[in-house]
Amino acid sequence: MLTKRIIHKIDLEKYEENLNYIRKITDAKIMVVVKANAYGHGMVKISKKSEELGIDFFGVAFLEEAEELRKNDIKSDILILNYIAEENIIKVSQSDYIITLYSLEQLEKYNEILGKKLKNIKFHININTGMNRLGINIDELEKLKKYNINIEGAYSHFSNAGNDEEITEKQYQIFQKSVRKLKKMGFNIRIKHISNSAGVFQNKKYSLDYVRVGMALYGLQPLNYKLDLKPIMTIKTIVSNIRNIKKGENIGYGKNISNKNVKISIIPIGYSDGYLMSLSKKGYVLIDGKKCNIVGEVCMEQIIVDISKLKNVSIGDEVVILGQQKLAEITPEILGKLANTVPDDIVCKLGQKR
């Protein structure tokens, strides 16, 4: 018996099309970023499909994600991009995970714990080129000499690729200078990567050994103009109730008095399902291929939409929250703009219960 009121569908054929499209843009190998459950799209499913398509490197945020991939028989290299707690570093040193070196303080702590076994860890050093989040500054690199460490790769992260060419180029030059310095110090930097999704499309020279791609693979637009990328997430539900509201009656929470007679439909999805509260009175759904605006506030597991202009709506009819219906489409970019957020936020939230 089907009891789910919300259906999430991930189109792996479109995912493959997006991957092939990106492969035509860059000569670099692709590191598929599957952090945050592959941006809500299902980390294990995306990773397995990626390996079938020849991907040999994945990026995750945290140790738990790397462990989940290994438990599900993902064999490719895994780079942990974020923080690893000190109490886990012994376990990591006994694994094949590649971890990010992002500060001298972090390295000193790991050295205190592991001693000579620090050499067992494969690091990718994160160079701070202007993002000022994680990363070691170029003038700190000399201090790495005293450690017996294996730095296999180096990377950085563009802060505004696709929007500010001057800043992006400056970051790229700082990164290249840092890599040259590391090599002069005797480190064998085999793998270099700096491009995110936006960087891939901004300038081909930024595609070094690998490019780290997340959002573009999932069909999200990384630039301020449309690329031939296809969203792979569709979310559907149903009409759960229909009511006729008279002028002067309230709709939903708070004081939300209708200024006219209106026919409404109740849709069983809300902010507990990742549908943002900020879409109250701004968002819309598709019913019978028609746009139906949200009236009132987004509730915990329900929204209310205006169906006055629709002729035939019945309880149980299909409702599209994200995706296509007939000739109409709701994209992550549309919902992101309405909610004053980024499309990544939309899919991460809506995909959280997958």
Side-chain angles (χ1 to χ4, degrees):
M1 179 180 175
L2 182 64
T3 59
K4 285 186 176 181
R5 68 183 194 275
I6 302 172
I7 298 172
H8 295 77
K9 180 183 177 183
I10 304 301
D11 191 328
L12 293 179
E13 289 185 5
K14 288 183 179 177
Y15 176 81
E16 183 173 354
E17 288 177 25
N18 291 337
L19 177 59
N20 289 336
Y21 176 60
I22 294 165
R23 280 173 164 161
K24 291 177 183 177
I25 302 297
T26 177
D27 295 327
K29 299 183 79 173
I30 296 173
M31 181 190 300
V32 174
V33 180
V34 292
K35 63 182 180 178
N37 198 25
Y39 293 49
H41 293 77
M43 178 175 66
V44 173
K45 178 187 287 188
I46 292 294
S47 298
K48 286 187 174 182
K49 181 64 176 179
S50 298
E51 283 196 329
E52 290 176 13
L53 297 171
I55 294 298
D56 65 359
F57 216 144
F58 294 98
V60 300
F62 296 106
L63 174 60
E64 293 81 359
E65 294 171 325
E67 291 175 330
E68 183 68 17
L69 291 183
R70 285 288 184 258
K71 285 177 186 176
N72 285 277
D73 297 320
I74 298 302
K75 307 298 184 186
S76 300
D77 286 337
I78 301 172
L79 171 62
I80 301 172
L81 297 162
N82 211 318
Y83 166 80
I84 295 175
E86 294 165 18
E87 58 265 28
N88 289 323
I89 198 60
I90 292 177
K91 177 169 65 172
V92 170
S93 72
Q94 297 166 348
S95 75
D96 62 354
Y97 305 135
I98 302 165
I99 74 172
T100 293
L101 173 57
Y102 60 81
S103 79
L104 295 174
E105 292 78 10
Q106 167 210 26
L107 181 58
E108 182 58 33
K109 286 289 185 182
Y110 291 172
N111 188 51
E112 289 174 5
I113 296 168
L114 295 174
K116 292 181 180 178
K117 292 182 179 179
L118 182 66
K119 185 71 174 178
N120 295 341
I121 294 178
K122 286 195 291 187
F123 286 104
H124 278 212
I125 184 170
N126 184 340
I127 306 295
N128 178 32
T129 58
M131 186 79 169
N132 288 313
R133 197 167 57 174
L134 299 180
I136 295 178
N137 296 334
I138 188 170
D139 58 3
E140 297 178 309
L141 296 178
E142 287 289 338
K143 296 178 182 179
L144 297 174
K145 284 182 176 179
K146 71 175 186 177
Y147 298 98
N148 184 22
I149 51 176
N150 176 15
I151 302 180
E152 177 194 75
Y155 75 95
S156 191
H157 192 65
F158 288 138
S159 63
N160 203 16
N163 294 310
D164 193 316
E165 292 184 14
E166 183 179 353
I167 288 177
T168 304
E169 178 63 20
K170 182 178 179 181
Q171 286 190 264
Y172 176 73
Q173 294 301 332
I174 292 172
F175 177 71
Q176 292 287 55
K177 184 177 180 181
S178 299
V179 170
R180 289 193 296 270
K181 187 171 184 177
L182 286 166
K183 287 182 175 180
K184 285 182 180 179
M185 291 166 59
F187 292 106
N188 180 24
I189 308 298
R190 294 194 305 106
I191 301 172
K192 303 182 297 298
H193 46 107
I194 190 169
S195 271
N196 51 11
S197 290
V200 171
F201 294 98
Q202 179 171 331
N203 193 321
K204 194 170 183 178
K205 78 173 183 179
Y206 299 148
S207 296
L208 302 173
D209 300 304
Y210 277 84
V211 292
R212 297 187 311 275
V213 186
M215 64 183 298
L217 283 167
Y218 309 122
L220 308 181
Q221 298 292 332
L223 303 178
N224 54 14
Y225 56 88
K226 187 171 176 58
L227 298 165
D228 190 21
L229 297 166
K230 300 174 176 64
I232 70 170
M233 179 186 289
T234 296
I235 298 179
K236 299 178 180 180
T237 184
I238 61 165
V239 172
S240 64
N241 197 20
I242 297 171
R243 303 185 72 94
N244 290 300
I245 303 297
K246 294 179 181 179
K247 180 180 178 180
E249 289 187 325
N250 198 65
I251 301 175
Y253 282 116
K255 189 175 182 180
N256 185 39
I257 306 300
S258 180
N259 60 6
K260 60 181 179 180
N261 293 338
V262 63
K263 192 173 187 179
I264 61 171
S265 173
I266 314 305
I267 312 299
I269 189 171
Y271 57 77
S272 68
D273 306 296
Y275 196 85
L276 298 181
M277 185 78 177
S278 54
L279 289 167
S280 298
K281 301 181 183 180
K282 296 178 181 178
Y284 63 90
V285 303
L286 299 177
I287 302 175
D288 194 29
K290 304 294 192 305
K291 177 178 174 181
C292 299
N293 294 321
I294 293 176
V295 291
E297 293 185 4
V298 173
C299 307
M300 186 177 287
E301 61 281 304
Q302 297 178 91
I303 56 176
I304 305 168
V305 301
D306 184 351
I307 58 170
S308 301
K309 294 181 180 179
L310 303 187
K311 292 181 178 179
N312 298 305
V313 180
S314 302
I315 292 173
D317 282 357
E318 179 186 85
V319 179
V320 168
I321 304 298
L322 188 69
Q324 289 183 299
Q325 190 184 61
K326 295 188 176 179
L327 298 178
E329 182 178 17
I330 300 175
T331 66
E333 285 74 24
I334 288 172
L335 290 184
K337 188 174 182 179
L338 291 170
N340 194 30
T341 187
V342 293
D344 316 45
D345 187 24
I346 296 296
V347 292
C348 283
K349 297 282 174 49
L350 285 172
Q352 66 183 332
K353 288 193 173 182
R354 293 192 73 259

